[in-house]
Each structure stands twice: as structure tokens, then as C-alpha cells.
Amino acid sequence: MRLALAPRIHDLYVGRNVLATVLVVWLVLLGLDATLALSGEAKNIGTGSYTFGHAVAWTAYTVPRRAYTLFPMAAVIGALMGLGQLAATSELTALRAVGLSRRRIALSVAIALSLLTAMMVVNGETLAPWAQEKADLLKGSAKYQTDMAVARYSGLWAREGNTFLNAQTGEEQVDEGGRSRLLLHDVRLYRLDADGRLASLTHAATARHDANGWTLEQVRHDRFGERSATRQAVASERWDSQLDAAALASGLVKPRSLSATELRSNIEYRKRNGLDARDYEDTYWSRWFYPLNVLALCLAAVPFAFGSLRSGGMGKRLFLGMLFALGFLLLQMFFGRMAGALKFDYRIAYALPPIVMLAVSGWLFRRRSS
């Protein structure tokens, strides 16, 4: 009975050591990534009104997203290093001697990491999307000096003189010749007269910008007089505007800047209107499978702490951790790209890598136990 109750203390001990090393590795990776991002922004300083202060602010805004992205790699490297330190001092051997199995120790690691994983899931749904949206808007407004705003539920807003543009969604596209173009959907143009009253409202199903300028399609014009209103519909027309397509593209809400609920709404909206929703589906299902990915990755790496790592050094543990994390990310990226290219369900693409890792973990546990 005493041995059955003792593992509670050992769970806390193992969990505390693993959490400490994970946090240290996480901070180091995050610091390096943020430093590289800030140095990469040097090329944008001087473009428009973009200054070093803007670059620092942009980097700071992106930290929550970077922490979310880097956590799986930090978790597996930190878990291996933490257990490796216990193995090097024979503490894992002592824990085994008091009756703890390898699976129980792995469960202690999983429970400890689940606390940080839960924090990252909340961060990925709240702070990270909001901060990333602010970062993108800050950069776009400073670089292109365009009066622009992004509303989460009413899309992109931009101003040119007395004309206000509102687009619900949009994306950049690349044609077969490698030329890029901007496509905005559900576009409204509000034109005000000199007195600030609404002079006309133009609605277009799409607004396309390419090498030839702007083109509106499926257009409806509503013009307002003091005592009258007229309507005119045309299939397509040119729009003489100097709005910078690059500035508008930078202000579009990216899938990574949306919560899971908002991603789901965008997916349904795009499917209803016959638009491509694959980028949104990719991000949406990656959020759902994020906790499972972290758990599978760490459990697959934990068996290496029992055995050869007792005599291995820090470099070996670090190498194996990075190898596992990189291999998993490449596998996940491969299945994600295949799902986008072959148009099969993203749930299958994101379920396969953790299933493979969990199978590897089970095989390694049986092998170490034999």
C-alpha cells in the first residue's frame, strides 16, 4: 500500500524537472527566433514610415504566435533533456527500483506537459491571433502609409480620398506565368460628397487587381440624390483607383490570425460562395490536433531516456530531440501539403502523424521492456 501511494511524490518530482528544462529550452528557442525575426525586419526599415521602433513592436506582437509554434519542439527537447539528466544521475533507475514502470514515468511527463499544452491552446485561440493581426496591420500601415483597418467581423476597410472600401475576404493568387494578383470578395465602395453625405454605394461580387489595374465584376451601383435614388447593374467594369494592392493584401486577415470559431465561420462562408477554403481548413484542423501532436511527439521520444541516454551526453539528447521534432514537423507538413494538393480530408492528414508517432512510442516501450 505504501508503494502504491509513493508515486504521487515521484510524479511531482519528475514533472518539476521536466517542466523546468522545457521552459528553459522554450525561452532559448523563442529568444533566438524573435532575434532572427527582428534582424530580418531590418530590410523593411525605411520603407514608407517603417522604423526600427515599428520592427521591435511587430516582433513583440508576434511573440505569442511564435511561442505557440515553437512549443512542440521545446516540449520534446526539454522532456528528453530533463529525463536525460535524471538518467545520467541514476535517478530513473532509483525510481524504477521503488516500483515505477516506464509507462508511469512517461505518464508523469505527459501530465506535466499537458499543463503547458493547455496554456498554449488557450493562447492559440485568444492572444496569439489577436496579436498577430495587430502585427500585420502595424506593418502594412507603416510600410504603405495607407488609411486601413481590419475589423474581425466586417473585413478589410481602406480609404482613398472620399471613397471607403470594404471587402469581406480576399486572397493573393499566382497565375501560371508566375504573376500575382489580388482578389477581393464581397466588395462595397462608399463615396461621400463634399458635405460628408453618402453619394453612392457600389457593390461588387469581386474586385481583382492585376497588371492592368482594378476590375470590378457583378457590379451594382446605387446613387443617391437629395430626393431620389437610382440603381444600375453591369457585369464588369474598370475601377480607376490608386489603392496599393500590396497594402491591401497585407491588411487581409490571415487564417493564422483567426480563432477556431472564426476559422469555421470563414470555411462555411467560402464553401457557400464557391471559394477556396483549403488554407482555412488547414489552419482549423491544425488547431484541433495541436494537443495530440504534442503528446504523441513527447511520448515517442521518452523511451530514449531509458537506456542509451544514461551514458550519453547533453549533445546526444539535444540531437535526438531535434531529430524527433524536425521529423515529426516534416511528416505533418508532408501530409498537410498532400491533403491540399489531392483534396482529401485534412482530419486524416493531421491524424496520421500522431498515430505514427504513438505507434513508434508503443514499439519502443515494448522493445525497451524486453
Side-chain angles (χ1 to χ4, degrees):
M1 180 63 68
R2 292 176 61 187
L3 287 178
L5 295 176
R8 290 185 177 180
I9 300 175
H10 302 320
D11 291 338
L12 293 175
Y13 181 74
V14 172
R16 185 174 66 248
N17 279 275
V18 169
L19 285 179
T21 53
V22 168
L23 288 174
V24 170
V25 172
W26 198 9
L27 288 175
V28 170
L29 292 177
L30 186 58
L32 290 174
D33 189 48
T35 302
L36 290 174
L38 180 59
S39 63
E41 285 298 296
K43 65 180 183 297
N44 294 318
I45 296 176
T47 303
S49 60
Y50 197 75
T51 64
F52 180 74
H54 288 106
V56 173
W58 178 86
T59 305
Y61 272 126
T62 62
V63 166
R65 176 186 61 81
R66 297 179 189 280
Y68 180 88
T69 304
L70 291 172
F71 176 68
M73 182 175 291
V76 66
I77 295 175
L80 272 175
M81 291 179 65
L83 289 176
Q85 290 175 355
L86 296 177
T89 56
S90 300
E91 290 178 274
L92 283 185
T93 303
L95 291 175
R96 295 293 312 284
V98 299
L100 287 180
S101 66
R102 290 186 174 92
R103 289 182 176 84
R104 181 54 186 267
I105 296 175
L107 181 61
S108 302
V109 174
I111 292 175
L113 291 177
S114 66
L115 299 176
L116 292 178
T117 304
M119 291 175 56
M120 282 299 97
V121 169
V122 174
N123 172 54
E125 290 300 303
T126 54
L127 181 59
W130 173 84
Q132 185 61 50
E133 180 184 334
K134 294 295 183 182
D136 294 337
L137 184 58
L138 172 69
K139 179 189 284 190
S141 299
K143 286 178 64 177
Y144 301 106
Q145 297 180 312
T146 301
D147 292 332
M148 185 171 57
V150 179
R152 190 164 289 276
Y153 297 104
S154 58
L156 172 69
W157 287 88
R159 177 185 177 185
E160 182 186 31
N162 291 331
T163 301
F164 294 82
L165 175 145
N166 171 237
Q168 289 296 317
T169 61
E171 67 269 349
E172 287 185 285
Q173 299 177 339
V174 180
D175 59 21
E176 296 179 354
R179 296 180 295 271
S180 63
R181 65 177 185 176
L182 177 65
L183 193 64
L184 303 177
H185 303 285
D186 199 3
V187 178
R188 290 172 175 81
L189 300 174
Y190 302 88
R191 293 186 178 89
L192 306 182
D193 60 19
D195 297 327
R197 293 176 297 185
L198 183 63
S200 67
L201 169 62
T202 300
H203 178 269
T206 59
R208 184 181 69 253
H209 183 275
D210 51 26
N212 298 320
W214 288 97
T215 303
L216 304 178
E217 297 178 347
Q218 301 180 34
V219 187
R220 186 185 69 227
H221 294 288
D222 292 312
R223 296 181 175 86
F224 307 100
E226 291 188 4
R227 296 175 178 266
S228 64
T230 60
R231 172 170 290 184
Q232 179 186 11
V234 294
S236 177
E237 68 178 16
R238 304 292 299 174
W239 177 33
D240 185 16
S241 173
Q242 299 301 315
L243 279 175
D244 193 331
L248 294 178
S250 68
L252 291 174
V253 177
K254 310 298 191 298
R256 66 184 181 181
S257 301
L258 299 173
S259 66
T261 302
E262 292 164 340
L263 285 168
R264 185 64 186 174
S265 298
N266 275 271
I267 292 170
E268 293 174 352
Y269 170 83
R270 287 176 168 267
K271 287 185 175 180
R272 282 198 310 268
N273 293 275
L275 304 175
D276 186 6
R278 285 177 294 177
D279 289 343
Y280 292 84
E281 289 181 312
D282 189 0
T283 305
Y284 177 74
W285 289 113
S286 70
R287 299 274 182 85
W288 279 102
F289 282 93
Y290 183 87
L292 180 60
N293 290 340
V294 174
L295 178 63
L297 185 57
C298 292
L299 288 180
V302 162
F304 284 95
F306 304 99
S308 61
L309 283 183
R310 278 194 299 245
S311 58
M314 188 70 69
K316 186 176 182 180
R317 288 191 289 274
L318 185 62
F319 173 76
L320 283 175
M322 295 182 66
L323 183 64
F324 258 85
L326 183 59
F328 180 82
L329 293 176
L330 290 176
L331 185 64
Q332 191 177 68
M333 185 182 299
F334 170 76
F335 281 114
R337 296 294 183 270
M338 290 295 292
L342 302 179
K343 298 183 179 180
F344 63 85
D345 199 323
Y346 277 98
R347 286 170 289 190
I348 299 175
Y350 278 100
L352 285 176
I355 289 175
V356 171
M357 283 297 177
L358 288 174
V360 170
S361 176
W363 176 76
L364 288 174
F365 267 114
R366 288 194 299 269
R367 183 184 177 191
R368 297 291 184 189
S369 300
S370 60

